[in-house]
PDB file of all heavy atoms in Angstrom:
ATOM      1  N   ASN Y1532      -2.463   6.401  21.386  1.00 95.00           N
ATOM      2  CA  ASN Y1532      -1.053   6.329  21.098  1.00 95.00           C
ATOM      3  C   ASN Y1532      -0.523   5.072  21.770  1.00 95.00           C
ATOM      4  O   ASN Y1532      -1.068   4.391  22.504  1.00 95.00           O
ATOM      5  CB  ASN Y1532      -0.350   7.565  21.618  1.00 95.00           C
ATOM      6  CG  ASN Y1532      -0.803   8.789  20.894  1.00 95.00           C
ATOM      7  OD1 ASN Y1532      -1.052   8.776  19.639  1.00 95.00           O
ATOM      8  ND2 ASN Y1532      -0.703   9.891  21.527  1.00 95.00           N
ATOM      9  N   GLY Y1533       0.735   4.832  21.341  1.00 95.00           N
ATOM     10  CA  GLY Y1533       1.432   3.615  21.976  1.00 95.00           C
ATOM     11  C   GLY Y1533       2.675   4.104  22.674  1.00 95.00           C
ATOM     12  O   GLY Y1533       2.961   5.203  22.787  1.00 95.00           O
ATOM     13  N   ILE Y1534       3.387   3.123  23.275  1.00 95.00           N
ATOM     14  CA  ILE Y1534       4.577   3.397  23.993  1.00 95.00           C
ATOM     15  C   ILE Y1534       5.451   2.156  23.976  1.00 95.00           C
ATOM     16  O   ILE Y1534       4.941   0.982  23.875  1.00 95.00           O
ATOM     17  CB  ILE Y1534       4.319   3.788  25.438  1.00 95.00           C
ATOM     18  CG1 ILE Y1534       5.479   4.455  26.080  1.00 95.00           C
ATOM     19  CG2 ILE Y1534       3.770   2.616  26.279  1.00 95.00           C
ATOM     20  CD1 ILE Y1534       5.940   5.802  25.570  1.00 95.00           C
ATOM     21  N   GLU Y1535       6.731   2.270  23.987  1.00 92.00           N
ATOM     22  CA  GLU Y1535       7.669   1.130  23.987  1.00 92.00           C
ATOM     23  C   GLU Y1535       8.312   0.968  25.337  1.00 92.00           C
ATOM     24  O   GLU Y1535       8.558   2.013  26.018  1.00 92.00           O
ATOM     25  CB  GLU Y1535       8.797   1.398  22.937  1.00 92.00           C
ATOM     26  CG  GLU Y1535       8.410   1.256  21.547  1.00 92.00           C
ATOM     27  CD  GLU Y1535       8.116  -0.260  21.195  1.00 92.00           C
ATOM     28  OE1 GLU Y1535       9.209  -0.976  21.150  1.00 92.00           O
ATOM     29  OE2 GLU Y1535       6.980  -0.647  21.059  1.00 92.00           O
ATOM     30  N   PRO Y1536       8.601  -0.205  25.819  1.00 94.00           N
ATOM     31  CA  PRO Y1536       9.352  -0.379  27.000  1.00 94.00           C
ATOM     32  C   PRO Y1536      10.712   0.351  26.959  1.00 94.00           C
ATOM     33  O   PRO Y1536      11.393   0.308  25.862  1.00 94.00           O
ATOM     34  CB  PRO Y1536       9.569  -1.928  27.086  1.00 94.00           C
ATOM     35  CG  PRO Y1536       8.493  -2.546  26.272  1.00 94.00           C
ATOM     36  CD  PRO Y1536       8.330  -1.516  25.133  1.00 94.00           C
ATOM     37  N   VAL Y1537      11.221   0.876  28.030  1.00 96.00           N
ATOM     38  CA  VAL Y1537      12.450   1.566  28.051  1.00 96.00           C
ATOM     39  C   VAL Y1537      13.287   1.050  29.281  1.00 96.00           C
ATOM     40  O   VAL Y1537      12.742   0.417  30.221  1.00 96.00           O
ATOM     41  CB  VAL Y1537      12.300   3.083  28.115  1.00 96.00           C
ATOM     42  CG1 VAL Y1537      11.733   3.609  26.841  1.00 96.00           C
ATOM     43  CG2 VAL Y1537      11.404   3.455  29.299  1.00 96.00           C
ATOM     44  N   LYS Y1538      14.484   1.359  29.345  1.00 96.00           N
ATOM     45  CA  LYS Y1538      15.399   1.027  30.380  1.00 96.00           C
ATOM     46  C   LYS Y1538      15.828   2.376  31.093  1.00 96.00           C
ATOM     47  O   LYS Y1538      16.548   3.123  30.452  1.00 96.00           O
ATOM     48  CB  LYS Y1538      16.593   0.237  29.962  1.00 96.00           C
ATOM     49  CG  LYS Y1538      17.468  -0.331  31.070  1.00 96.00           C
ATOM     50  CD  LYS Y1538      18.583  -1.125  30.565  1.00 96.00           C
ATOM     51  CE  LYS Y1538      19.370  -1.749  31.727  1.00 96.00           C
ATOM     52  NZ  LYS Y1538      20.536  -2.585  31.176  1.00 96.00           N
ATOM     53  N   PRO Y1539      15.434   2.534  32.342  1.00 97.00           N
ATOM     54  CA  PRO Y1539      15.927   3.803  33.050  1.00 97.00           C
ATOM     55  C   PRO Y1539      17.451   3.828  33.046  1.00 97.00           C
ATOM     56  O   PRO Y1539      18.071   2.793  33.095  1.00 97.00           O
ATOM     57  CB  PRO Y1539      15.292   3.623  34.413  1.00 97.00           C
ATOM     58  CG  PRO Y1539      14.132   2.709  34.231  1.00 97.00           C
ATOM     59  CD  PRO Y1539      14.533   1.743  33.165  1.00 97.00           C
ATOM     60  N   VAL Y1540      17.938   5.058  33.117  1.00 98.00           N
ATOM     61  CA  VAL Y1540      19.397   5.270  33.082  1.00 98.00           C
ATOM     62  C   VAL Y1540      19.766   6.155  34.324  1.00 98.00           C
ATOM     63  O   VAL Y1540      18.952   6.877  34.825  1.00 98.00           O
ATOM     64  CB  VAL Y1540      19.881   5.933  31.805  1.00 98.00           C
ATOM     65  CG1 VAL Y1540      19.663   4.945  30.621  1.00 98.00           C
ATOM     66  CG2 VAL Y1540      19.082   7.266  31.512  1.00 98.00           C
ATOM     67  N   ALA Y1541      20.983   6.070  34.641  1.00 98.00           N
ATOM     68  CA  ALA Y1541      21.541   6.895  35.879  1.00 98.00           C
ATOM     69  C   ALA Y1541      21.667   8.293  35.551  1.00 98.00           C
ATOM     70  O   ALA Y1541      21.751   8.736  34.389  1.00 98.00           O
ATOM     71  CB  ALA Y1541      22.844   6.257  36.355  1.00 98.00           C
ATOM     72  N   ALA Y1542      21.660   9.121  36.590  1.00 98.00           N
ATOM     73  CA  ALA Y1542      21.819  10.561  36.406  1.00 98.00           C
ATOM     74  C   ALA Y1542      23.357  10.823  36.207  1.00 98.00           C
ATOM     75  O   ALA Y1542      24.134  10.589  37.075  1.00 98.00           O
ATOM     76  CB  ALA Y1542      21.311  11.281  37.628  1.00 98.00           C
ATOM     77  N   ASP Y1543      23.668  11.346  35.057  1.00 98.00           N
ATOM     78  CA  ASP Y1543      25.089  11.623  34.708  1.00 98.00           C
ATOM     79  C   ASP Y1543      25.129  13.008  34.099  1.00 98.00           C
ATOM     80  O   ASP Y1543      25.672  13.970  34.763  1.00 98.00           O
ATOM     81  CB  ASP Y1543      25.644  10.572  33.673  1.00 98.00           C
ATOM     82  CG  ASP Y1543      27.095  10.815  33.309  1.00 98.00           C
ATOM     83  OD1 ASP Y1543      27.762  11.597  34.065  1.00 98.00           O
ATOM     84  OD2 ASP Y1543      27.548  10.247  32.352  1.00 98.00           O
TER      85      ASP Y1543
END
Side-chain angles (χ1 to χ4, degrees):
N1532 291 331
I1534 196 69
E1535 285 288 288
V1537 293
K1538 186 176 181 180
V1540 295
D1543 180 16

